[in-house]
């Protein structure tokens, strides 16, 4: 195919758009790949659409290769099934809701678990029908609070969502791993640099779950990894490295806890100051730090459909409770901090002096950070104003109701596999694989006949790829200071031929070269515009086709120039064999 | 490609769905191509999606062949541009409207004239940039009052909409004809039987406009055509054949009109009865019929932004005013019948006895059917209760303000080209080509620099094809009593191979044959299910792949059977050369 820039619906921009913050957003607009039409809404101009379709085709190929069957649901969906699973409400403001002319409720689909489950229920009736993997590549809608970074986080975006249905957990695992490998092939073909991180389930409930994060400074997701072992996890999913157990004889030898008058010490900082002035025998020879204190954070928690109940979380005093980790750990329950009325209702809660003994004596559910193992001793509240206890031993003096992964994760924390410290980085979620389980087949009682003649309920996996987001991710990872750079697998063209010579012979020669490239099967864009060579070179660099051919001054000497947009390497090719040489370079 | 029915996500249904009325709807559901998910909302299962994508690919190829450049807008669009063109209001209940979390108004795009015009305005600035044809293939949304007939009229549907932009009318004509010819190629490749009819502009305003209607008894559009000349038009667009002018000397010889007491004759029927009993000299020797009377229909009309004004329409008494034709003729004005208060306000309007003289004397705008040429004489109201006038001559006794195409069209009416009578038929709109003009470039002041240095305003054409509707149209036109029948250009598979023999040799043989067909490039579905030959044959007929290969009893004798789903023809093929022979049959 030959595309002439003199006819192409494309106008590049010299300046960055005013509201663009990240490089991919700036460049995709400047290079005329996309245009904004509203907050989080973009139109795809010819070049952008070509890249999008190429990514879509690669995703489709790899989904078909693992036996995925493509189907397509409407984006406009009736409310009832989402009501059944409570997602109509749970999605909150992120769901686009609307009414039809009869006043019935509809939504624009954010994901389609409900309809896939209902469809399989509708078509299949026996265990013999399974396994099956179904997918669609379709526009999704989410009313983001702050749509940002161009197509990295839009409100209408193209997504591949697939769903596996299996009779048993082994089947689900097989489908999960098939997807995981397909995703690795897809992102490999797209030349995306990514990590696979453990993830918690988020709003969807379920068990095994991993995210594919494209490495990027502009990513919204923070993850940590251990460079020694390769362990990687979303912040929400990080498992705390548990200290070695303390031998029983050492616990037996611990001094009894002592309650002290600590004065006005309602904060960790004031408590540490007091402790360092108190010449406590346990700390002879070293300073007391916040890590020696046990901070008890009070909140109330409500399970879906249940009542508010008190919950206390104990963490070492040098760590905050991380909202994201707390939310994920409590999922699907919601939580809220206590207000004054709550404190008034529970006079045993002495603000600033709350301790494990008072909590447990009053029946408050008490969960602690996994670092608080049996035999660790703490400076903590003594449940009376101005009093703290020193040397309170977990497991001996108090026994929590369990542990919770809610304390903040820090760079330098040990990896849970013991291999070394964790380092933090940012990424952009490009894929998610998820052993969803029976949440949706339960909701719709999607039973089929089992091998033994009794009903059996299929288990689901749910797998997503952000197809339109990948256009921005590739732009973000591959661009340089001159413009975009596309891997050949997704580039809008194979070769960009620039006529940089006003000589009519050169023009004719370029046209012939392009015809020959087309004949050999290359997809070529020809810059045949009446513009200066400088303008044309700048545009070629901005557009980012991986190979640039310049028909310029060398023409008179029988040579054209081939440039590699990634390496910057240039070499001269003899005109006679130029087309064949270029094809060979494309690989 | 090989698809095994044992693994295919497909369950055919024995019975017609309860709510399906038309054959295509019944069959597409029974054959597992689509499934309903809500009123006017359908999911595409694997086979349906394959057909849809093949149609889409043909449309794309032909659009690219006329130089169309594909782009893609969001379906979710901000209100402002549609407010600018008044379509936010004009679309009425048919527009899906919604609000985002900030309370801003959005719509689901019904067509995208506004955004195409704005985009060209944004990118192009000079006459040198033109012409350009842009298109998209995208989901459209219309909240139909009665979504019906399955995917023939859905509320979310796939459409190709393209728009041409030209500096002058000659350019627009060229783009219009390029589209018209591309559409003929597209519908030809899809084997759709269709007619091209003149159409009025409908809600969009503009000039030349034609519709492509697929011939179908279940179509919602009525059109007429002249079998002698090939003239064809939408009912709204039919031009009345005007009678020959009456010579001046004959007009001069007409008797003077006479006012009669006609008693209680407020309807055409009672007036005709009176006339036949009155021995009127003009009608000596023949009966008076309703066609001899002139009926004056009163209404009020309001131009956009204007006030209500009276309008009277005079039609021969044997014809009704046709709502669709009236609406199209008055476009963009709206109209309403008069209520009692209106009659009270205008006492000269004597219900049942309204005549041209009273109307014209009181300044009421008066338009007549084109058959009411100068010199025709009429029995009509005399503007007094119980009185009519006989022999009132148009052009002599009254002069209307003009003519209007609002009277009903009937089979047998003469074709406007004089070639013969009109016959009526029904069709399904599958395409529309439309010289839109400057409505949208005016709305957005989308001027560019002209050749003479002054601003020039581009003119637009708008062209649509109902891509998803075509799946149903082809099913509707091609099916027979056994099931669907797909032309090879859109069939989900090239060949349907049925294993109709439990013998394991036959099974192995069929598998080898299918591998060979695949190797030769055919897309094959293999019915390898454990089911009776009868069930498999029925399904093969229902699914509608054009070529069916049966590996059955003949296997032992070294033959397989090739069936043509359209002609029903069967022939035996020697196993050794079967694959090659089948490929040859596919053509």
């Amino acid at each position: 195919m030959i595309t002439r820039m003199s006819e192409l619906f494309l106008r590049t921009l010299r300046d960055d758009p005013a509201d663009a913050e990240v490089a991919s957003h700036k460049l995709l607009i400047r290079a005329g790949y996309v245009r904004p039409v509203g907050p989080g809404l973009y139109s795809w101009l010819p070049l952008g659409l070509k890249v999008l379709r190429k990514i879509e085709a690669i995703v489709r190929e790899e989904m078909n290769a693992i036996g995925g069957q493509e189907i397509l649901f409407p984006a406009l969906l009736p409310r009832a099934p989402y009501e059944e699973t409570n997602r109509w409400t749970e999605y909150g403001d992120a769901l686009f809701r609307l009414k039809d002319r009869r006043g019935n409720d509809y939504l624009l689909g954010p994901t389609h678990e409900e309809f896939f489950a209902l469809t399989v229920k509708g078509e299949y009736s026996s265990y013999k029908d399974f396994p099956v993997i179904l997918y669609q590549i379709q526009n999704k809608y989410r009313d983001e609070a702050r749509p940002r970074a161009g197509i990295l986080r839009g409100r209408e975006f193209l997504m591949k969502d697939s769903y596996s249905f299996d009779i048993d957990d082994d089947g689900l695992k097989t489908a999960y791993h098939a997807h995981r490998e397909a995703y690795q092939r897809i992102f490999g073909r797209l030349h995306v640099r990514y990590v696979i991180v453990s993830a918690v389930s988020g709003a969807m409930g379920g068990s095994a779950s991993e995210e594919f994060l494209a490495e990027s400074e502009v990513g919204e997701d923070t993850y940590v990894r251990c460079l020694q072992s390769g362990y990687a996890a979303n912040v929400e999913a990080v498992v705390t490295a548990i200290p070695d157990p303390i031998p029983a004889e050492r616990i037996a030898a611990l001094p009894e806890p002592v309650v002290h008058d600590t004065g006005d010490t309602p904060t960790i900082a004031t408590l540490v100051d007091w402790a360092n002035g108190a010449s406590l025998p346990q700390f002879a020879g070293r300073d007391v730090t916040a890590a020696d204190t046990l901070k008890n954070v009070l909140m109330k928690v409500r399970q879906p459909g249940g009542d508010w109940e008190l919950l206390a979380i104990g963490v070492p005093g040098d760590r905050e409770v991380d909202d994201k980790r707390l939310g994920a750990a409590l999922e699907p329950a919601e939580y809220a901090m206590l207000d004054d009325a709550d404190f008034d209702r529970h006079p045993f809660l002495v603000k600033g002096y709350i301790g494990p003994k008072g909590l447990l004596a009053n029946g408050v559910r008490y969960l602690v950070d996994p670092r608080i193992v049996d035999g660790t001793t703490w400076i903590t509240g003594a449940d009376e104003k101005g009093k703290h206890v020193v040397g309170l031993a977990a497991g001996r003096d108090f026994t929590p109701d369990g542990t919770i992964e809610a304390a903040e994760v820090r760079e330098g924390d040990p990896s849970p596999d013991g291999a070394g410290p964790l380092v933090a980085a940012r990424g952009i979620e490009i894929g998610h694989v998820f052993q969803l389980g029976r949440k949706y087949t339960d909701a719709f009682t999607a039973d089929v006949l089992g091998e033994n003649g009794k009903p059996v309920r299929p288990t689901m996996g749910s797998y997503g790829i952000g197809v339109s987001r990948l256009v921005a991710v590739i732009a973000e990872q591959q661009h340089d200071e001159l413009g975009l750079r596309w891997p050949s697998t997704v580039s809008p063209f194979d070769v960009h031929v620039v006529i940089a010579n006003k000589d009519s012979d050169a023009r004719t020669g370029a046209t012939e070269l392009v015809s020959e490239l087309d004949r050999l099967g290359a997809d070529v864009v020809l810059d045949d515009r009446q513009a200066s060579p400088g303008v044309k070179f700048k545009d070629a660099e901005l557009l980012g086709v991986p190979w640039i051919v310049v028909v310029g001054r060398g023409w008179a000497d029988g040579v054209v120039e081939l440039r590699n947009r990634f390496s910057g390497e240039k070499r001269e090719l003899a005109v006679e064999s130029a087309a064949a040489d270029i094809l060979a370079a494309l690989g």
Side-chain angles (χ1 to χ4, degrees), chain A:
Chain A
M1 265 243 323
I2 303 170
T3 302
R4 285 176 184 76
M5 282 191 53
S6 60
E7 296 167 0
L8 182 60
F9 188 66
L10 171 74
R11 291 296 178 265
T12 58
L13 308 179
R14 209 171 289 226
D15 299 315
D16 286 336
D19 59 337
E21 288 163 23
V22 304
S24 59
H25 189 189
K26 291 176 190 169
L27 289 172
L28 288 169
I29 288 182
R30 279 188 49 211
Y33 280 64
V34 300
R35 289 286 178 260
V37 303
L41 298 169
Y42 290 83
S43 59
W44 297 87
L45 297 191
L47 300 194
L49 188 58
K50 281 188 87 170
V51 175
L52 181 68
R53 294 293 181 230
K54 288 194 173 189
I55 296 173
E56 184 182 331
I58 288 172
V59 172
R60 180 173 286 119
E61 262 181 49
E62 297 294 347
M63 287 308 301
N64 291 344
I66 61 166
Q69 302 189 50
E70 188 173 2
I71 67 177
L72 184 62
F73 283 97
L76 179 65
L77 297 168
R79 165 179 176 163
Y82 286 78
E83 185 72 46
E84 202 82 34
T85 59
N86 203 35
R87 292 214 296 168
W88 173 263
T89 309
E90 266 173 21
Y91 254 104
D93 283 346
L95 195 65
F96 281 109
R97 298 176 182 83
L98 67 161
K99 285 182 189 294
D100 73 359
R101 61 161 74 210
R102 290 165 194 272
N104 294 321
D105 282 320
Y106 287 80
L107 60 108
L108 300 182
T111 58
H112 283 66
E113 280 80 356
E114 284 81 354
F115 279 95
F116 276 86
L118 282 170
T119 298
V120 169
K121 177 183 177 176
E123 305 299 314
Y124 277 0
S125 57
S126 159
Y127 73 96
K128 292 181 194 164
D129 297 330
F130 293 84
V132 66
I133 295 173
L134 300 174
Y135 75 98
Q136 62 177 351
I137 299 179
Q138 195 220 28
N139 272 339
K140 297 280 185 278
Y141 295 85
R142 288 191 203 154
D143 195 357
E144 299 286 348
R146 277 168 294 114
R148 67 179 280 276
I151 52 173
L152 273 183
R153 184 173 287 279
R155 298 200 292 173
E156 173 177 317
F157 53 96
L158 191 65
M159 188 170 156
K160 186 282 298 176
D161 51 330
S162 51
Y163 304 89
S164 63
F165 293 83
D166 287 276
I167 290 302
D168 54 33
D169 291 352
D170 280 352
L172 172 55
K173 275 184 192 132
T174 304
Y176 181 89
H177 286 286
H179 273 89
R180 198 176 188 277
E181 284 161 22
Y183 281 25
Q184 290 175 296
R185 284 191 294 273
I186 290 166
F187 300 131
R189 290 175 68 179
L190 299 178
H191 298 264
V192 172
R193 295 187 303 277
Y194 66 96
V195 290
I196 303 176
V197 304
S198 297
V200 291
S201 54
M204 297 202 278
S207 49
S209 171
E210 288 170 292
E211 284 174 6
F212 289 72
L213 299 183
E215 299 171 24
S216 171
E217 286 300 312
V218 303
E220 290 188 321
D221 289 281
T222 304
Y223 65 97
V224 295
R225 59 173 153 176
C226 171
L227 297 174
Q228 286 70 35
S229 67
Y231 169 84
N234 229 337
V235 161
E236 293 94 312
V238 173
V239 178
T240 303
I242 300 174
D244 290 332
I246 296 173
E249 61 275 17
R250 268 189 55 196
I251 299 179
L254 289 172
E256 285 299 305
V258 179
V259 174
H260 292 260
D261 284 321
T262 53
D264 185 25
T265 51
T267 65
I268 295 296
T270 52
L271 179 60
V272 169
D273 280 350
W274 169 84
N276 277 319
S279 310
L280 300 169
Q282 291 98 325
F283 299 95
R286 76 165 176 95
D287 282 349
V288 178
T289 71
D292 298 312
T293 68
L294 170 59
K295 174 162 67 180
N296 296 300
V297 179
L298 264 289
M299 64 195 70
K300 51 189 176 182
V301 170
R302 181 165 65 177
Q303 297 295 331
D307 293 327
W308 287 108
E309 288 178 8
L310 287 181
L311 173 68
I313 294 181
V315 295
D318 63 331
R319 287 185 192 257
E320 299 301 322
V321 169
D322 179 311
D323 272 350
K324 273 190 166 177
R325 283 170 57 76
L326 175 62
L330 295 177
E331 182 73 38
E334 56 176 328
Y335 68 94
M337 292 299 116
L338 298 193
D339 54 26
D340 288 344
D342 292 314
F343 279 101
D344 291 347
R345 232 187 328 271
H346 302 292
F348 65 89
L349 295 175
V350 186
K351 259 197 218 176
Y353 304 91
I354 295 170
K357 297 192 102 164
L359 294 169
L360 292 165
N362 287 282
V364 176
R365 187 168 160 76
Y366 184 49
L367 302 176
V368 297
D369 185 75
R371 291 172 191 83
I372 301 168
V373 294
D374 282 0
T376 52
T377 59
W378 303 93
I379 306 175
T380 189
D383 303 304
E384 273 184 65
K385 198 161 166 59
K387 293 201 174 180
H388 282 91
V389 58
V390 175
L392 195 75
R396 181 191 67 182
D397 303 325
F398 69 98
T399 304
D401 295 311
T403 59
I404 185 167
E405 291 285 2
E408 62 180 315
V409 176
R410 295 205 201 117
E411 273 207 304
D413 281 350
S415 173
D417 57 18
L422 294 175
V423 293
R426 303 185 73 79
I428 302 165
E429 187 185 337
I430 50 175
H432 192 184
V433 290
F434 185 22
Q435 294 183 23
L436 185 54
R438 295 185 170 81
K439 170 170 176 181
Y440 293 92
T441 47
D442 281 347
F444 301 113
T445 327
D447 293 348
V448 297
L449 197 70
E451 197 166 357
N452 58 6
K454 288 180 186 160
V456 59
R457 186 158 297 174
T459 180
M460 282 173 73
S462 148
Y463 317 90
I465 286 184
V467 179
S468 49
R469 172 178 286 185
L470 278 164
V471 177
V473 164
I474 297 168
E476 195 64 41
Q477 288 192 340
Q478 303 287 356
H479 80 275
D480 64 8
E481 66 288 356
L482 300 174
L484 298 166
R485 298 193 298 186
W486 298 108
S488 57
T489 44
V490 300
S491 174
F493 304 102
D494 297 324
V495 193
H496 186 134
V497 177
V498 175
I499 303 177
N501 190 324
K502 291 201 173 171
D503 186 272
S504 75
D505 277 1
R507 211 176 173 85
T508 309
T511 309
E512 278 165 15
L513 173 62
V514 162
S515 298
E516 180 64 8
L517 287 168
D518 172 47
R519 211 184 54 74
L520 294 172
D523 189 1
V524 193
V525 61
L526 172 66
D527 194 345
D528 60 340
R529 294 176 300 170
Q530 304 292 347
S532 75
V535 164
K536 291 183 176 187
F537 292 148
K538 271 207 155 47
D539 273 348
E541 282 152 352
L542 179 61
L543 295 187
V545 175
W547 296 97
I548 300 168
V549 174
V550 181
V551 178
R553 282 187 208 161
W555 182 259
D557 308 322
V559 293
V560 299
E561 189 182 82
L562 177 64
R563 299 181 180 180
N564 181 303
R565 177 70 184 86
F566 280 88
S567 67
E569 187 203 348
K570 301 177 184 184
R571 60 189 162 114
E572 293 197 332
L573 305 176
V575 167
E576 308 81 54
S577 59
D581 291 345
I582 293 164
L583 259 287
L586 299 186

